[in-house]
Amino acid sequence: MVTQIKISRTKHSRISEIDFKNLQFGSQFSDHMFAMEYIDGQWQNHRIEPFGLIEVHPVSASLHYGQTIFEGMKAYRGVDGKIRLFRPDMNHKRLTDSCIRMCIPPVELETFLSAIEELVRVDHQWVPPYEGQALYVRPVLFADEGSLDVRPANRYRFLIITSPVRGYFGAGSPAVALKAEEKYTRAIQGGTGSAKVGGNYAATFLASCQGRDEGFAQILWLDGVEHRYIEEVGQMNICFVLDGKLVTPPLRGTILPGVTRDSVIQLTHDMGIECEERMIDINEVIDGIKNQTLQEAFGCGTAVVVNAVGSIGYRGQQYVIGNGEIGPLSQKLYKLILGIQRGEVEDTHNWTREVAIS
Ligand SMILES: *Cc1c(COP(=O)(O)O)cnc(C)c1O
């Protein structure tokens, strides 16, 4: 059963303040947001209301104990003018897994999809028109009960906000330099590394700030036991092209199961390229760079689609991959995924979901 969503529209749209030719990432928000509360054992008060500040209980477990999770996806404006979501069912599955891990009551698929679609419909003018741009959709779910007890809360909030974002990866944008991190750890088995949990990200800030000071764009995380096996990057999964095969770390509870990662694996498989999901030793990567059997490396995630890795810093040395620029498979996958999202390339896997604007 789909619950009715009550819609209250703003009287003061901010759409005219947006310069779609000069979008930033994540600092401008559309006119409306979706909200609902979990009270007395059920999600209720489903609504779309003007975007604005909210009141939160000062003793909420999300503020004190970090009981909060989120998701990230995009709505794309196609070449045909239609608006599409990309595999939102996978975001729902991951949200549900994150809910289970953090003892947060899950949200049904129909509620999740209709909330996103209705919100995108109400703010459809905020879906940017140019290639590479999109309306970023950010669901967030957090405890909001006034109790200092260290236990799962009895009350929660679910919000969805949207933000028009630029394409990350304009033509000629440089491949990034990563730092293989040996001191800090992002996740360990049995922890929360495979869930999109707020605290996972705060815990990485110190390493990424130090890396930035040393000239690295992002951190390449290694396993938390030996600091030897490759895990992932910030908000991207990592893939390598090694001896003509696509090689990427396995989902073993310490990395995020990315929607883009899954799509990259399927599309590469469609191209007849062999894919291996396996543990990758950092030394195998460094050796591969040195003897040129490692042809490409790229990060993949919703924000960037595919982002080439130009070099890896490890133990004070910088290792440049190939000529340090975007490789052919990275380029091809970027174009292909963007093409599917924009309705330019046939969607053979039935991944996109149109948001009909009446
Ligand atoms: C969100 C995220 C990803 C990428 O997932 P997508 O579904 O492809 O956007 C990868 N790693 C981490 C840590 C993330 O938070």
Side-chain angles (χ1 to χ4, degrees):
M1 191 193 76
V2 179
T3 316
Q4 201 65 29
I5 299 172
K6 185 167 172 273
I7 300 176
S8 329
R9 286 175 189 267
T10 179
K11 292 190 182 67
H12 307 283
S13 173
R14 289 173 280 104
I15 187 89
S16 62
E17 296 166 18
I18 300 296
D19 175 4
F20 283 110
K21 290 216 156 82
N22 290 297
L23 291 177
Q24 303 302 310
F25 187 82
S27 55
Q28 291 166 312
F29 307 102
S30 67
D31 281 331
H32 299 87
M33 61 186 186
F34 175 86
M36 65 178 179
E37 284 89 34
Y38 185 87
I39 303 170
D40 296 335
Q42 62 186 32
W43 286 108
Q44 43 191 277
N45 202 9
H46 306 44
R47 63 198 185 275
I48 286 170
E49 58 190 19
F51 178 90
L53 299 182
I54 57 164
E55 287 193 340
V56 175
H57 199 290
V59 192
S60 125
S62 53
L63 298 178
H64 294 251
Y65 309 129
Q67 200 188 9
T68 174
I69 57 176
F70 67 98
E71 263 306 321
M73 74 188 86
K74 285 173 172 173
Y76 306 85
R77 172 90 56 195
V79 283
D80 51 7
K82 290 180 179 167
I83 298 172
R84 292 175 180 83
L85 300 171
F86 186 71
R87 311 186 73 184
D89 51 311
M90 289 206 55
N91 294 93
H92 176 264
K93 183 182 180 309
R94 190 167 65 194
L95 185 77
T96 304
D97 292 342
S98 298
C99 281
I100 292 168
R101 182 64 184 82
M102 299 303 280
C103 297
I104 294 174
V107 173
E108 278 177 20
L109 177 65
E110 290 85 290
T111 308
F112 180 78
L113 290 179
S114 57
I116 292 167
E117 289 181 6
E118 200 59 50
L119 182 61
V120 170
R121 210 169 281 138
V122 168
D123 279 338
H124 67 92
Q125 289 176 315
W126 290 79
V127 182
Y130 304 111
E131 179 170 0
Q133 301 182 329
L135 186 67
Y136 184 78
V137 177
R138 164 58 63 86
V140 61
L141 238 161
F142 58 95
D144 188 20
E145 181 196 357
S147 170
L148 284 172
D149 272 357
V150 184
R151 56 156 173 81
N154 290 315
R155 284 184 174 227
Y156 296 86
R157 298 263 197 111
F158 181 72
L159 303 177
I160 307 173
I161 61 95
T162 69
S163 172
V165 294
R166 66 182 157 89
Y168 245 94
F169 200 76
S173 119
V176 293
L178 302 181
K179 177 190 176 185
E181 178 61 55
E182 285 202 279
K183 180 175 178 189
Y184 302 107
T185 297
R186 194 193 88 92
I188 51 160
Q189 280 186 300
T192 57
S194 64
K196 247 174 148 75
V197 171
N200 285 354
Y201 301 83
T204 64
F205 292 167
L206 181 59
S208 49
C209 289
Q210 289 179 0
R212 220 151 274 178
D213 289 345
E214 295 164 26
F216 297 100
Q218 294 202 49
I219 297 298
L220 176 61
W221 294 102
L222 303 177
D223 76 277
V225 178
E226 296 178 77
H227 286 130
R228 182 171 153 196
Y229 296 100
I230 308 279
E231 299 246 290
E232 62 176 321
V233 183
Q235 295 203 54
M236 301 188 288
N237 294 110
I238 187 133
C239 296
F240 300 95
V241 181
L242 245 172
D243 276 329
K245 289 181 216 159
L246 185 85
V247 185
T248 192
L251 301 177
R252 51 179 202 119
T254 54
I255 66 171
L256 231 275
V259 177
T260 321
R261 174 189 180 279
D262 187 84
S263 309
V264 160
I265 291 173
Q266 293 206 39
L267 294 171
T268 313
H269 184 262
D270 293 349
M271 292 172 198
I273 296 171
E274 211 177 308
C275 298
E276 291 178 354
E277 293 178 65
R278 63 164 172 89
M279 307 282 280
I280 308 161
D281 191 317
I282 178 73
N283 294 299
E284 181 185 356
V285 170
I286 301 302
D287 290 345
I289 296 174
K290 283 188 191 155
N291 65 27
Q292 301 194 353
T293 51
L294 191 143
Q295 293 125 346
E296 291 180 47
F298 59 90
C300 56
T302 296
V304 292
V305 189
V306 166
N307 197 344
V309 176
S311 67
I312 294 175
Y314 181 57
R315 300 200 165 158
Q317 295 281 336
Q318 187 92 351
Y319 299 92
V320 178
I321 299 165
N323 59 6
E325 283 161 24
I326 183 165
L329 185 64
S330 313
Q331 186 73 263
K332 196 170 168 184
L333 285 165
Y334 174 74
K335 287 234 161 94
L336 186 54
I337 295 175
L338 203 73
I340 295 170
Q341 291 165 339
R342 286 173 36 91
E344 275 175 306
V345 174
E346 195 192 345
D347 178 13
T348 52
H349 294 283
N350 216 358
W351 281 339
T352 60
R353 199 179 152 99
E354 190 189 328
V355 180
I357 310 298
S358 44

